[in-house]
Amino acid sequence: MMNRCIAVLLFLVSSLSFATSRHNNGWNHRPALVARSVPRGGGLFNNNNKKDEEASKSVSSNAGGQSTYPPMSQQEIEEWMEHIPVFAVTDQTGAGVVLKPENDSSVFYFFLNPLQANATLGQLQASNAEMDLKVSAFSLGKIYFDLLQKQGKSEDAVDASSNTVQYRLVPDSRDLLGARMLLTMSPEDGEKLKESGSMTPEMAQAAVQKAMTESPKFKESYNEIPVFTIAQMRMQKTDEKDATTGEPLTLLPMYFSLQNMVSTWQQFMSQAPAEVQGTEPAINLMSLHDLVELMQKESEIDFRHVVLVPMAPSSREEARSSGSVTATPTDPMARMGGATLGDE
C-alpha cells in the first residue's frame, strides 16, 4: 500500500496529459466515502460487517483471529471480469487479424482502450486498403484464462519464431506510465510537489525519466496490466441488495484507469462531510496477474466484495474518438487465426 496525497495524484494525471471530466461508465452506482483508518490484512477490502461474517459459513479464521475467505474458482473470476471489454482488430466476420511485428512471431493484440485499437485499425487500413477491417469488443472474462493465462504457462516451451499465435493484452500507455511513476515517486518527491504547489515541466520530465528507468515492475508494454484502487472508497450498487443486511451492496472499486479513479475520488471528496475533506487517499497498485493469483487462494481479503470498473473516456473528445465498436458475443477463440499482416 502506498500513501500518496491528492496533489501527487493530480500531478500524475496532469503529467500524463489527462483531461479531467466527469464520466459515466455505465455502472449503476452512487459514491460512498468510507472515512476511517485502514487496518492491515482483510480490513482493506472487507466492509467489516459483522453480520456478514457471522452469516457466511464459508468464512473462517486464521491463527491470529483474522477472518479468511475461500478461494474464488476460475468460473467465479471469469464472471467477475466478464463485464470488462477489450478491443481488437478483426475482419467483418469477427475473425482476428494476426500481426507479425518482430522475429517472425505471430501476435494478436487485445487493447483495454478502444482508442489504441482504432489507431491500430487506421494503420492497417492505410497499408491494406483491400481488407475490410473493424474494431470488435470481446469480454476479458472469456479470454483471460483460455488465451492469456494458458499461453503464459506454456510460453517457455514455445519458440518465439514458431507459428504459435501470441496473445497480448495492452494497457493504456498513460496508465502504464502512471503505475511506474507511483512505484518510483519517493515521499521526498511528494513533499517537494506539495511545497511547490504546482508542477513544472522540469519536474514532470524528471519524474517520467525516473519512472521509465527505475520502475521495478510494469516494464513490459503488454500483459502486465496495472490495477489501481483507493482503500477508503466504496461503491454502492443501488439495484442490488446485500443478502444479509438488506442494504445496497457495498463494494470496493478497482480501476484500470488512473484518471477515472482520480476523478471519482474528487467527486467523493466534493460530497464528503467537512470533517473528512482532508482525507489523504491510500493508493494500492497491483498487476492484474498478481490480483487473480491472490483471488485463487484463501485470503484475508473478501474479493467477492470487489468490483472491476471498466475504463471510461476521460473527455467528450476521447469518447467521440473511440468510434464505432462492434460487440462480439461469440467465443473469440473460435474466430482466431484470421488474416496475418506485417507492420510494414
Side-chain angles (χ1 to χ4, degrees), residues 149-194:
Q149 287 293 86
K150 183 177 294 184
Q151 74 168 6
K153 295 177 181 179
S154 59
E155 64 183 2
D156 292 338
V158 176
D159 187 346
S161 63
S162 71
N163 292 325
T164 302
V165 176
Q166 301 175 34
Y167 297 99
R168 297 180 180 178
L169 178 60
V170 181
D172 190 302
S173 56
R174 299 168 299 185
D175 297 313
L176 191 61
L177 180 56
R180 293 169 178 170
M181 292 175 73
L182 280 172
L183 291 176
T184 54
M185 183 170 285
S186 66
E188 292 76 16
D189 294 331
E191 288 302 318
K192 289 180 182 178
L193 176 62
K194 291 174 68 175

Side-chain angles (χ1 to χ4, degrees), residues 17-273:
S17 301
F18 283 130
T20 302
S21 64
R22 296 187 66 179
H23 62 273
N24 179 3
N25 57 26
W27 211 70
N28 184 17
H29 69 268
R30 60 184 177 88
L33 177 65
V34 179
R36 62 167 184 261
S37 60
V38 182
R40 294 185 178 182
L44 175 61
F45 298 98
N46 183 21
N47 60 12
N48 287 334
N49 189 318
K50 294 297 183 181
K51 292 183 179 179
D52 281 349
E53 294 179 5
E54 294 169 359
S56 177
K57 296 181 180 179
S58 62
V59 177
S60 59
S61 297
N62 59 21
Q66 176 69 50
S67 295
T68 59
Y69 299 85
M72 292 179 68
S73 66
Q74 178 174 320
Q75 181 179 349
E76 283 183 297
I77 296 173
E78 288 175 342
E79 292 174 353
W80 182 73
M81 294 191 290
E82 188 174 20
H83 66 290
I84 302 296
V86 293
F87 307 92
V89 178
T90 70
D91 65 17
Q92 291 300 318
T93 69
V97 177
V98 178
L99 307 181
K100 300 181 76 68
E102 74 273 327
N103 299 328
D104 293 326
S105 58
S106 298
V107 180
F108 186 83
Y109 289 97
F110 293 104
F111 300 92
L112 278 172
N113 191 333
L115 289 177
Q116 291 176 287
N118 278 330
T120 301
L121 173 64
Q123 292 174 349
L124 293 177
Q125 287 178 325
S127 57
N128 301 273
E130 73 283 359
M131 297 191 68
D132 191 10
L133 305 177
K134 66 178 181 179
V135 172
S136 297
F138 299 92
S139 164
L140 178 59
K142 290 185 179 297
I143 70 164
Y144 187 80
F145 287 101
D146 289 331
L147 291 181
L148 300 174
Q149 287 293 86
K150 183 177 294 184
Q151 74 168 6
K153 295 177 181 179
S154 59
E155 64 183 2
D156 292 338
V158 176
D159 187 346
S161 63
S162 71
N163 292 325
T164 302
V165 176
Q166 301 175 34
Y167 297 99
R168 297 180 180 178
L169 178 60
V170 181
D172 190 302
S173 56
R174 299 168 299 185
D175 297 313
L176 191 61
L177 180 56
R180 293 169 178 170
M181 292 175 73
L182 280 172
L183 291 176
T184 54
M185 183 170 285
S186 66
E188 292 76 16
D189 294 331
E191 288 302 318
K192 289 180 182 178
L193 176 62
K194 291 174 68 175
E195 291 172 3
S196 66
S198 63
M199 176 194 64
T200 65
E202 292 76 17
M203 292 172 64
Q205 184 177 1
V208 170
Q209 179 64 23
K210 185 177 181 181
M212 297 300 292
T213 58
E214 299 181 19
S215 178
K217 296 188 66 175
F218 304 106
K219 297 180 180 181
E220 298 291 340
S221 61
Y222 57 88
N223 289 355
E224 197 171 11
I225 311 301
V227 180
F228 308 90
T229 190
I230 293 177
Q232 297 99 322
M233 289 202 305
R234 295 295 185 274
M235 285 181 174
Q236 289 185 329
K237 292 191 71 174
T238 55
D239 60 343
E240 188 172 343
K241 303 295 184 181
D242 188 289
T244 304
T245 65
E247 298 294 325
L249 188 63
T250 300
L251 303 170
L252 171 70
M254 289 187 167
Y255 295 83
F256 289 113
S257 168
L258 181 61
Q259 161 64 15
N260 292 167
M261 184 180 74
V262 172
S263 297
T264 305
W265 173 259
Q266 290 177 307
Q267 182 183 354
F268 278 15
M269 295 309 296
S270 69
Q271 301 173 4

Side-chain angles (χ1 to χ4, degrees), residues 144 149 223-225 286-294:
Y144 187 80
Q149 287 293 86
N223 289 355
E224 197 171 11
I225 311 301
M286 184 179 294
S287 73
L288 180 62
H289 174 79
D290 291 344
L291 178 62
V292 170
E293 281 202 337
L294 281 179

Side-chain angles (χ1 to χ4, degrees), residues 255-321:
Y255 295 83
F256 289 113
S257 168
L258 181 61
Q259 161 64 15
N260 292 167
M261 184 180 74
V262 172
S263 297
T264 305
W265 173 259
Q266 290 177 307
Q267 182 183 354
F268 278 15
M269 295 309 296
S270 69
Q271 301 173 4
E275 61 269 19
V276 297
Q277 285 288 332
T279 301
E280 297 286 6
I283 306 170
N284 289 263
L285 169 64
M286 184 179 294
S287 73
L288 180 62
H289 174 79
D290 291 344
L291 178 62
V292 170
E293 281 202 337
L294 281 179
M295 297 172 77
Q296 294 176 293
K297 301 175 182 178
E298 185 175 278
S299 175
E300 295 178 357
I301 300 169
D302 184 6
F303 285 111
R304 292 173 177 84
H305 282 80
V306 174
V307 63
L308 275 178
V309 179
M311 181 176 290
S314 299
S315 65
R316 292 180 180 178
E317 291 74 16
E318 187 168 302
R320 286 195 294 267
S321 299

